Amino acid sequence: MWMGVKARVADLLNQVFVPREMILRANDRVTVIRLPVRTQKLVALAVVTLLGWSIVASGALVIQNLVIAGKNQTIDEHKLAYFELLQEVSEYHQQFAQITQNLESNQAFLLSMLESGAEAEANIAAIEQHLKGSKTEENRVTVASGGLREKLQRFEDDLHEIVGRNLELRSQVASMRDVLSDTEAEKDRVAEAREMLGQRLQEVEESLARVSEEKRQLALTVTELRTDIARSREQLAVAQSVEGDLKGEITLLDSQLVEAGKRRDGLEREIAALQDSLGNAIHRGDGLQGDREDLRTEVAELRQRMVDMRQAQHSIVQRLRDRTELSVDTMERTVAMTGLKLDDLLASIGDLGNSQGGPFVAGDYTGDFDGDAELEIALSLLDLRLSRWSALQRVMRTLPLSVPLEQYQLSSGFGTRTDPINGRKATHRGLDFRAPVKTPVYATAPGKVIFAGWSGPFGRMVEIDHGHGVRTRYAHLKKILVKSGQQVANREKIGLVGSSGRSTGPHLHYEVRYKGVPLNPKKFLTAGKHVFKD
């Protein structure tokens, strides 16, 4: 049973305390505050501890006030008894003074009697009677004095006890006043902490609402990107399949061309042998006329078979050329969409297509045109287009056509904009992708890292040379994962999103440069989406 209760409490705590983030925006600067589960539990424990301490301190204060009230009542009762005792002492002092006065009067009377002589003897009886009354009064005073001394002793003992208790109560009152002052200060701090926590919780709730909305938008963006990526992957697979088919057909065509050459040589040898036989038959006369007709028929059939083979070969070459033309046109349009000059790129890799040209004139395979020459021309043109296709493939593999982030929001475009720091009009030479801190940043094409480090207002920056004069920059990183001189592959992780340098919040500044001139990266991204549509 205890284990079940413990498990339910643990599940409840795991549901209540989940990782949270607060995004605070002030003066166009974004600050992300993370609240781990451990921190939330510590804050909750501190709040509960403060509340518990406040309750305990309040209860102790009430109990101490009750104790002090009871002790004050006891002190008042002892003060009343003390005043009553002082009154009794005053009465006894009055009686003692009266007895002393009586003794003095008796002594004076005796002296006067001794001086008078006879009168003294006459009044002895009266004196004795008066002395008896005085002795009785003296005995009564003695007894009262003894009782008074006992009461005074008890009063002194009680008084000492009261003084000790009073001192103890005073020390307790002083300590309670200190505790009370500390408790009041603690109450003030607790109230301030409650107010601050309330404001903080309100800010956290508002931030969580904003974060939820941004998370929803990011989820939509991620879904769209994943759909685009899946479609691009499918198109890439189709393109790779087409490339494999082209290579297979080229290999098949080569083998067929070799076999056709061998068969053509054999047929030519057969034709030569037949022509020799035909000449011999002609010389032998009219008796061999029937054989000559048969040989001519066979030669015609052989020539027709050669024509059919040439037509089949030309059809294969034409289909390969059409597919190659389609692929070349697609890649040329893609390069044109980026704003780069295709001829300059091809010149940078030393491929100008052999500098040949001219209009295409289809051959007539049914006339007297030399079929072998026509096939050779078609193969030469196909070889030229395949060479250009291969060169374009090398160029396309090095162009930065992909997005450097998997999850992002475009926060600033290329060109003129209002500077986010000073509010003045400025030129922005790249794209800003807003993303959470530590989002992975990927290389948009293979190349060589030529810079990896701190670069002034760009903060932590990586620059990659993709060849042919094309370079990309990735700025404001939190962490760099590559080194200068390192070769990186396409979509290889090179850093993490941050806000280093001249930045108002976590984002990636992405640039594309051609021979030092900044280009609009959005054209490359649009071209990348267009690569496999056709």
Side-chain angles (χ1 to χ4, degrees), residues 56-294:
V56 172
S58 301
L61 184 62
V62 172
I63 294 172
Q64 288 179 354
N65 288 333
L66 294 175
V67 172
I68 290 173
K71 291 184 178 180
N72 288 333
Q73 184 177 1
T74 304
I75 290 172
D76 292 337
E77 292 177 355
H78 284 292
K79 283 183 179 180
L80 182 62
Y82 175 72
F83 289 142
E84 291 177 354
L85 185 61
L86 286 178
Q87 186 176 1
E88 291 181 1
V89 169
S90 177
E91 292 177 357
Y92 284 128
H93 276 294
Q94 290 177 0
Q95 292 178 5
F96 183 76
Q98 184 65 37
I99 292 171
T100 303
Q101 185 178 2
N102 292 332
L103 289 174
E104 289 178 352
S105 63
N106 290 332
Q107 185 178 3
F109 179 75
L110 289 174
L111 290 174
S112 63
M113 290 297 295
L114 289 173
E115 291 177 355
S116 61
E119 293 178 359
E121 293 179 357
N123 294 323
I124 287 175
I127 293 169
E128 290 178 351
Q129 186 67 28
H130 187 71
L131 287 174
K132 288 180 180 179
S134 298
K135 287 181 178 180
T136 303
E137 188 69 20
E138 183 178 1
N139 291 331
R140 189 173 64 82
V141 169
T142 301
V143 172
S145 178
L148 182 61
R149 287 192 185 93
E150 291 178 357
K151 288 184 178 181
L152 285 174
Q153 185 64 36
R154 288 196 302 273
F155 175 73
E156 288 178 356
D157 295 336
D158 293 338
L159 185 62
H160 286 302
E161 183 178 358
I162 291 171
V163 169
R165 290 182 179 179
N166 192 15
L167 293 176
E168 182 179 358
L169 287 173
R170 285 181 179 179
S171 64
Q172 292 180 356
V173 168
S175 63
M176 289 175 67
R177 285 177 179 174
D178 295 336
V179 172
L180 183 60
S181 62
D182 294 338
T183 304
E184 292 295 332
E186 190 69 25
K187 283 183 177 180
D188 294 337
R189 289 195 296 271
V190 169
E192 293 176 357
R194 285 178 180 175
E195 185 176 358
M196 291 178 64
L197 285 173
Q199 295 176 355
R200 191 69 174 272
L201 287 173
Q202 185 177 1
E203 294 175 356
V204 168
E205 290 175 354
E206 294 176 355
S207 300
L208 285 175
R210 291 195 299 271
V211 168
S212 298
E213 180 63 22
E214 292 182 357
K215 185 177 180 181
R216 186 181 65 81
Q217 295 179 358
L218 286 174
L220 295 175
T221 304
V222 168
T223 302
E224 294 177 356
L225 287 175
R226 286 178 176 172
T227 303
D228 293 340
I229 290 170
R231 186 167 57 251
S232 298
R233 286 176 178 172
E234 292 176 357
Q235 294 172 349
L236 179 60
V238 172
Q240 290 175 349
S241 176
V242 170
E243 182 180 359
D245 293 341
L246 287 173
K247 291 180 178 178
E249 290 182 3
I250 290 171
T251 303
L252 179 61
L253 179 61
D254 290 337
S255 62
Q256 289 179 353
L257 288 174
V258 173
E259 292 178 0
K262 293 179 179 179
R263 292 177 64 183
R264 184 183 62 185
D265 294 338
L267 290 174
E268 288 177 351
R269 287 193 298 270
E270 290 179 4
I271 291 171
L274 289 173
Q275 288 176 350
D276 293 337
S277 298
L278 181 60
N280 294 327
I282 292 172
H283 288 294
R284 280 183 289 178
D286 296 334
L288 298 177
Q289 184 67 31
D291 293 338
R292 184 175 61 184
E293 292 296 331
D294 294 337

Side-chain angles (χ1 to χ4, degrees), residues 328 331-332 335-336 340-347 388 392 395:
V328 167
M331 289 187 285
E332 287 179 349
V335 174
L340 297 175
K341 294 183 179 180
L342 181 59
D343 292 338
D344 294 341
L345 292 174
L346 293 177
R388 189 173 182 82
L392 286 172
V395 170

Side-chain angles (χ1 to χ4, degrees), residues 34 405 435-442 476-479 481 493 495-499 506-507:
R34 287 182 171 79
L405 300 175
V437 177
K438 294 185 179 180
T439 299
V441 179
Y442 301 95
H476 305 304
L477 300 177
K478 180 178 180 63
K479 186 177 182 180
L481 304 179
K493 189 187 296 184
L496 303 176
V497 171
S499 185
H507 74 285

